[in-house]
Amino acid sequence: IEQMMEDEDARTNLIVNYLPQSMSQDELRSLFSSVGDVESAKLIRDKVAGHSLGYGFVNFVNPSDAERAISTLNGLRLQSKTIKVSFARPSSDTIKDANLYISGLPRTLSQQDLEDMFTHYGHIINSRVLVDQASGLSRGVAFIRFDKRAEAEDAVKHLNGHTPPGSSEPITVKFAANPNQARNSQMMSQMYHGQSRRFGGPVHHQAQRFRFSPMSVDHMGGGGGVSGNSSSGWCIFIYNLGQDADEAILWQMFGPFGAVINVKVIRDFNTNKCKGFGFVTMTNYEEAAMAIHSLNGYRLGDKVLQVSFKTSKGHK
């Protein structure tokens, strides 16, 4: 019986992503009620601060209404957002960690080519080819999320080290780092609760390893224009840090992803407490992209971090 219930649920339960920050649960409900009878609507909020996390679930009474809601409301523009409506997948271990990171792709490969290459191994939920903002060309790096972990494993087995037709280089296909994996969360909680005092040792060594000359970093403080310039590294913006966050925490978080040039926590001039944000500069675009992909949405203490490339407007 349970299985039947679940199958029923799977056909009426929708997940709605990219909701405007200001949208309430009632508004979510009334938007979807315009399509048919809604059994329940739930907007997901931050447990501590109470703000909307930008997604929610809507369960319809009838499967046919759920399908119609997808066809009519998916892609709808609300304020500055384009919402995404799809069937919510049951959270089971079969679908966890089915996200792949692919590098070494030919620069001419499009997103469609990528999906064509991988679709043979299972149902693709979404894919993304990273593009160089300046030239509009592919960086040869992509992410693909499969419906099930087993499908992703199959793709890794067959395509890692495979040379795509017309290319001379083999591609690398591996599981994308996931910040929720035990190893990482253990490192993070240790790091956070130890309030980083205990890290005197390793952090010091890490800083030694990434010796940087103050000359090359001076211009970082002024903000402006660094993001696009690979010679000075890629500047990453971290938002929603706790008051006690310090440089050691940023070294610990970003160090595992690759070469870090420098880190900076922005502090209140009077109290010397962190103002909630910081910057990390990394040498390689791919490693920086990977760090952002893995750490954006990461929960550190009681805060959910927002991690992105710093736009070149410069911070005030």
Side-chain angles (χ1 to χ4, degrees):
I1 301 264
E2 257 181 30
Q3 187 55 49
M4 271 173 61
M5 293 286 292
E6 251 183 35
D7 288 351
E8 269 306 293
D9 244 19
R11 292 171 52 222
T12 55
N13 198 13
L14 304 180
I15 182 168
V16 189
N17 279 302
Y18 308 117
L19 291 169
Q21 197 59 48
S22 59
M23 192 170 191
S24 69
Q25 187 163 295
D26 288 345
E27 289 169 329
L28 176 68
R29 187 186 192 104
S30 62
L31 173 66
F32 281 80
S33 297
S34 65
V35 175
D37 289 340
V38 169
E39 188 177 288
S40 62
K42 182 165 173 52
L43 180 70
I44 306 301
R45 293 185 173 278
D46 182 279
K47 287 190 177 62
V48 183
H51 58 266
S52 162
L53 292 179
Y55 73 100
F57 295 93
V58 175
N59 199 2
F60 278 95
V61 177
N62 301 313
S64 57
D65 290 337
E67 280 179 22
R68 206 163 67 247
I70 292 177
S71 58
T72 53
L73 298 175
N74 183 37
L76 178 74
R77 297 278 299 173
L78 286 180
Q79 292 164 36
S80 62
K81 304 276 195 177
T82 302
I83 68 169
K84 180 173 180 236
V85 184
S86 52
F87 284 114
R89 291 141 63 236
S91 61
S92 71
D93 283 345
T94 58
I95 63 170
K96 279 207 188 83
D97 304 332
N99 198 17
L100 297 181
Y101 171 75
I102 303 111
S103 58
L105 291 164
R107 307 284 177 192
T108 51
L109 197 92
S110 69
Q111 187 174 357
Q112 189 55 55
D113 298 334
L114 177 75
E115 292 205 359
D116 290 347
M117 184 163 38
F118 279 81
T119 189
H120 182 64
Y121 300 100
H123 176 54
I124 294 172
I125 298 288
N126 57 27
S127 68
R128 194 157 60 105
V129 174
L130 300 187
V131 172
D132 183 304
Q133 301 295 281
S135 67
L137 295 172
S138 157
R139 292 190 171 276
V141 177
F143 292 100
I144 280 197
R145 185 182 295 282
F146 277 100
D147 190 29
K148 296 192 173 62
R149 166 98 189 176
E151 297 170 338
E153 282 170 353
D154 214 19
V156 170
K157 198 166 76 195
H158 289 95
L159 291 177
N160 185 35
H162 160 83
T163 305
S167 169
S168 54
E169 298 290 314
I171 60 172
T172 301
V173 182
K174 60 185 184 184
F175 281 96
N178 175 350
N180 305 331
Q181 278 163 358
R183 184 181 57 82
N184 280 9
S185 53
Q186 192 190 345
M187 174 188 105
M188 292 297 206
S189 66
Q190 232 183 343
M191 196 170 90
Y192 199 73
H193 300 309
Q195 220 46 81
S196 74
R197 289 296 153 262
R198 260 184 274 145
F199 286 99
V203 168
H204 177 71
H205 290 313
Q206 215 160 9
Q208 290 299 318
R209 209 174 105 214
F210 303 119
R211 275 297 309 220
F212 52 88
S213 88
M215 289 306 291
S216 66
V217 191
D218 259 9
H219 59 274
M220 290 294 305
V226 189
S227 65
N229 179 352
S230 53
S231 65
S232 57
W234 297 90
C235 190
I236 299 168
F237 178 63
I238 302 97
Y239 177 69
N240 215 13
L241 289 164
Q243 287 203 327
D244 300 320
D246 60 9
E247 277 74 8
I249 281 183
L250 294 181
W251 280 114
Q252 292 284 332
M253 276 168 62
F254 287 82
F257 290 96
V260 173
I261 302 173
N262 72 332
V263 301
K264 183 179 172 75
V265 166
I266 307 300
R267 292 193 165 79
D268 182 291
F269 190 70
N270 300 316
T271 64
N272 210 26
K273 294 272 192 204
C274 171
K275 283 172 77 168
F277 58 99
F279 297 94
V280 169
T281 309
M282 295 184 71
T283 313
N284 298 327
Y285 178 86
E286 282 185 24
E287 293 169 348
M290 195 67 209
I292 289 171
H293 183 80
S294 302
L295 294 172
N296 185 34
Y298 184 80
R299 187 178 277 281
L300 183 60
D302 59 357
K303 303 244 192 249
V304 175
L305 302 184
Q306 291 175 24
V307 183
S308 60
F309 278 116
K310 175 175 153 314
T311 53
S312 45
K313 285 197 283 287
H315 60 282
K316 296 285 173 278

